[in-house]
Amino acid sequence: DGEERLPFGVLLARLGQESMARFRKALQPLEVSAQQYVVLKQLQTFGTASQATLADALGLDYSNLATVTGELSDAGLIERYRHESDRRRYVIELSERGVDLVERGDKAIYEGEEGMLKSLSADERDRFWHLLRQVADNANLCPSQTPVENAATCAGEDPPSS
């Protein structure tokens, strides 16, 4: 069409920066960091997970996740207990308070996204989401069909050797 275009990467990077800024701002009143919220959101998806599985799914170092889960446990947002058959492992799940915070966080994040997406109709938003999902799947960025045992691949890491 003759229009000079910025590379996709430039637009995606800038949108990513703006989206993350809105994401963090939305979470401020909830007194939870973006990283803590992402951990809570992943736990919502898993239901109950080992700390190692959760770390792999999020691409976090195990010791970093241990720190985050300690903070979340101290805040009463997760329940963290020893695995029944392997006492060295922790199992984690959302507490009632954590479920409530994720619901409030989702609403706050949606309201922040609304400002970015207001120029799109409902059909355009749906199509935009599916196109983003397709690009993410193609780049193996948490493919939508990734089973939990392939969580390290989803996080952009080599799968653990067996």
Side-chain angles (χ1 to χ4, degrees):
D1 60 12
E3 176 185 344
E4 186 163 335
R5 295 181 179 191
L6 290 172
F8 284 106
V10 172
L11 288 172
L12 289 171
R14 187 62 192 106
L15 283 169
Q17 290 170 335
E18 180 63 22
S19 180
M20 184 53 81
R22 289 171 185 253
F23 180 72
R24 287 185 172 130
K25 184 176 181 182
L27 295 175
Q28 281 178 342
L30 302 176
E31 298 181 354
V32 65
S33 72
Q35 185 179 43
Q36 290 170 332
Y37 179 80
V38 168
V39 169
L40 294 170
K41 193 67 180 166
Q42 188 67 55
L43 267 177
Q44 181 188 48
T45 301
F46 283 169
T48 300
S50 74
Q51 206 161 270
T53 298
L54 189 58
D56 287 342
L58 296 169
L60 293 175
D61 178 78
Y62 295 162
S63 62
N64 289 346
L65 182 67
T67 300
V68 173
T69 57
E71 295 164 353
L72 294 171
S73 179
D74 291 347
L77 298 172
I78 63 169
E79 302 290 332
R80 185 169 71 158
Y81 49 91
R82 295 288 182 181
H83 191 276
E84 285 183 22
S85 61
D86 183 353
R87 305 297 294 165
R88 297 170 298 171
R89 293 175 49 198
Y90 275 108
V91 177
I92 307 164
E93 61 189 3
L94 289 176
S95 66
E96 286 184 34
R97 190 165 174 226
V99 169
D100 178 63
L101 187 134
V102 170
E103 289 173 2
R104 290 184 296 134
D106 286 348
K107 183 178 184 220
I109 290 165
Y110 173 80
E111 290 168 0
E113 289 174 345
E114 186 62 26
M116 287 183 66
L117 301 174
K118 65 184 173 188
S119 67
L120 301 177
S121 69
D123 287 343
E124 288 170 330
R125 288 177 194 209
D126 188 55
R127 191 171 55 216
F128 181 57
W129 187 91
H130 285 285
L131 289 170
L132 287 174
R133 177 78 267 163
Q134 183 179 349
V135 171
D137 285 351
N138 185 60
N140 288 320
L141 299 174
C142 295
S144 53
Q145 302 303 314
T146 298
V148 171
E149 61 269 16
N150 292 332
T153 303
C154 171
E157 300 173 354
D158 293 327
S161 34
S162 340

